[in-house]
């Protein structure tokens, strides 16, 4: 494990190469088991009726893409309760936050699988509890597989944006003044992930506090 940290802007910290290849392999296997298990992958349909360009699974609490609220069951899909957030994954996210100089006790994780043409539009993560947002409690993001062109903007949609390449094993932590920055994924760089992962595309896990 490396704890090399790059502060992209105040409160937004890139942790390149945080996970070793072995750790990435273990996590990729885990993500596949979660996604193909009970209450596994689905493609969310957002409020406007469009389908997201990722397959999603929530752990600990369900993010409803129609209401933009966290809920106890997948009311916008199949009504199933989400699987619990595993304690070891929560502990990993807490450690990453600490290594980035922040503090997180996550109660939810959103696991996304991006296919080779997966992407995510510019948005803010602002559906967690107001106390979490006010305190700047960070989001911790972990990337596995193909490198993503991650876009980080400002607090308004039109502000200038920077691109951060998130490679397999990288962490990205955004809290404090950066907690409500707009962000998204413009594209993947297909075929750039370690072949040992046997992963077509990318997994991204975002750990959050204040969903329940
Ligand atoms: C997200 O914003 O929820 C996901 C970001 C990513 O995939 O890197
Ligand atoms: Mn987000």
């Amino acid at each position: 494990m490396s704890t090399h940290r790059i502060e992209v802007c105040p409160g937004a910290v890139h942790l390149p190469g945080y996970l070793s290849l072995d750790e990435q392999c273990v996590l990729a296997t885990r993500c596949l088991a979660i996604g193909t298990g009970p209450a596994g992958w689905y493609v969310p349909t957002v409020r406007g009726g469009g389908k997201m360009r990722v397959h999603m699974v929530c752990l600990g609490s369900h993010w409803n893409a129609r209401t933009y609220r966290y809920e106890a069951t997948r009311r916008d899909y199949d009504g199933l309760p989400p699987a619990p957030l595993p304690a070891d994954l929560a502990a990993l996210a807490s450690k990453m936050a600490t290594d980035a100089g922040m503090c997180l006790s996550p109660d939810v994780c959103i696991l996304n699988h991006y296919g080779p043409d997966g992407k995510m539009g510019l948005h803010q993560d602002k559906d967690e509890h107001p106390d979490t947002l006010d305190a700047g409690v960070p989001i911790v993001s972990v990337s596995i597989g193909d490198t993503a062109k991650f876009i980080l903007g400002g607090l308004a949609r039109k502000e200038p944006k920077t691109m951060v390449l998130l490679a397999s094993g990288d962490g990205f932590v955004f809290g404090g003044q950066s907690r409500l920055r707009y962000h998204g994924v413009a594209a993947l760089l297909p075929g750039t992930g370690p072949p040992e992962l046997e992963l077509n595309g990318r997994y991204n896990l975002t750990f959050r506090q204040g969903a329940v």
Side-chain angles (χ1 to χ4, degrees), residues 54 56 110 112 114 120-121 123 125 139 141-143 148 150 166 174 183-185 202-206 208:
V54 296
M56 185 177 283
I110 300 182
N112 289 319
Y114 293 73
M120 189 173 291
H123 66 279
D125 289 353
I139 301 268
S141 148
V142 184
S143 295
F150 180 75
L166 293 182
F174 55 108
H183 59 278
V185 172
R202 168 181 187 251
Y203 295 130
N204 176 260
L205 303 99
T206 48
R208 300 135 191 266

Side-chain angles (χ1 to χ4, degrees), residues 3 51 60 67 74 95 111 122 127 136 143 190 194-195 206-207 209:
T3 48
K51 293 229 179 257
T67 61
R74 312 200 312 178
K95 170 123 182 27
L111 163 60
L122 208 64
D127 303 327
S143 295
T206 48
F207 295 88
Q209 181 178 325

Side-chain angles (χ1 to χ4, degrees), residues 38-200:
W41 303 124
Y42 64 100
V43 178
T45 302
V46 293
R47 271 202 284 244
K51 293 229 179 257
M52 288 183 74
R53 298 285 295 272
V54 296
H55 287 75
M56 185 177 283
V57 180
C58 301
L59 301 169
S61 186
H62 174 67
W63 180 74
N64 183 322
R66 295 270 185 188
T67 61
Y68 286 28
R69 288 173 187 271
Y70 290 96
E71 299 177 348
T73 60
R74 312 200 312 178
R75 223 158 42 88
D76 55 331
Y77 183 59
D78 57 8
L80 290 174
L85 173 60
D88 62 324
L89 295 184
L92 170 68
S94 291
K95 170 123 182 27
M96 290 175 89
T98 303
D99 287 338
M102 290 175 255
C103 202
L104 173 75
S105 296
D107 46 42
V108 64
C109 171
I110 300 182
L111 163 60
N112 289 319
H113 176 238
Y114 293 73
D117 58 358
K119 56 177 75 172
M120 189 173 291
L122 208 64
H123 66 279
Q124 291 171 296
D125 289 353
K126 58 180 182 186
D127 303 327
E128 294 74 33
H129 195 281
D131 291 349
T132 294
L133 304 180
D134 291 348
V137 176
I139 301 268
V140 167
S141 148
V142 184
S143 295
I144 300 285
D146 289 345
T147 296
K149 290 180 171 180
F150 180 75
I151 307 297
L152 186 67
L155 299 180
R157 190 176 276 279
K158 284 187 183 158
E159 281 180 45
K161 293 153 191 73
T162 49
M163 186 183 72
V164 180
L165 290 176
L166 293 182
S168 195
D170 287 9
F172 194 82
V173 182
F174 55 108
Q177 304 175 37
S178 287
R179 179 60 176 75
L180 289 176
R181 280 185 187 273
Y182 276 86
H183 59 278
V185 172
L188 300 192
L189 302 178
T192 51
E196 294 85 347
L197 298 178
E198 296 178 7
L199 169 58
N200 188 23

